[in-house]
Amino acid sequence: PKNKESLNDYGKKELEELIDFYGVANEPNYPMPIIDADAICDKWDNFKAILLANYENLFIDDLLPLLFQYHSDIYPNILLLMNIFYSILFSSVDCKMGFSKQNLIKTDICN
């Protein structure tokens, strides 16, 4: 957020959803949680305050490398969660376009 008044509630709902998924052991695939939910909850407000105070005017592309470089030892669980979140594709358009091109090339006649 751009002001300190809305900083307290910013991202709490979304963080709780991510913690519910990644902070719980998912047997049998993941016998241990991927992140430490308690550590994230303890440091979340401080993390937001640091972002607002030091990195307010940066775009996300410039911000992420700085966070991983300078804050990975203080906020390892939050940054691990961010790493997971930003590595997930937001769309399946590329995949669908690939299949569409494949279907144009590989037809019943060409087989």
Side-chain angles (χ1 to χ4, degrees):
K2 296 296 181 186
N3 56 41
K4 292 184 181 183
E5 291 79 32
S6 59
L7 187 64
N8 283 340
D9 295 330
Y10 184 79
K12 282 193 177 183
K13 178 184 163 201
E14 293 84 358
L15 181 66
E16 288 173 5
E17 290 177 12
L18 291 170
I19 287 174
D20 286 344
F21 187 80
Y22 293 108
V24 179
N26 296 324
E27 292 287 343
N29 297 333
Y30 300 105
M32 295 181 60
I34 295 173
I35 57 168
D36 183 358
D38 294 332
I40 287 179
C41 291
D42 290 343
K43 296 194 176 207
W44 179 241
D45 289 331
N46 190 25
F47 181 73
K48 292 186 295 184
I50 285 176
L51 288 180
L52 184 63
N54 298 314
Y55 304 108
E56 181 179 6
N57 298 320
L58 288 179
F59 292 108
I60 193 71
D61 294 338
D62 300 326
L63 174 64
L64 287 177
L66 293 174
L67 290 176
F68 284 102
Q69 182 177 0
Y70 296 114
H71 300 287
S72 61
D73 55 337
I74 302 169
Y75 306 107
N77 288 290
I78 294 174
L79 293 177
L80 176 62
L81 194 58
M82 288 177 68
N83 196 15
I84 292 169
F85 181 74
Y86 280 104
S87 64
I88 296 172
L89 295 176
F90 292 105
S91 171
S92 62
V93 171
D94 291 333
C95 184
K96 289 180 181 180
M97 285 176 35
F99 282 117
S100 184
K101 286 182 181 182
Q102 170 192 322
N103 291 337
L104 291 173
I105 297 168
K106 189 174 179 179
T107 63
D108 291 335
I109 296 172
C110 290
N111 283 342

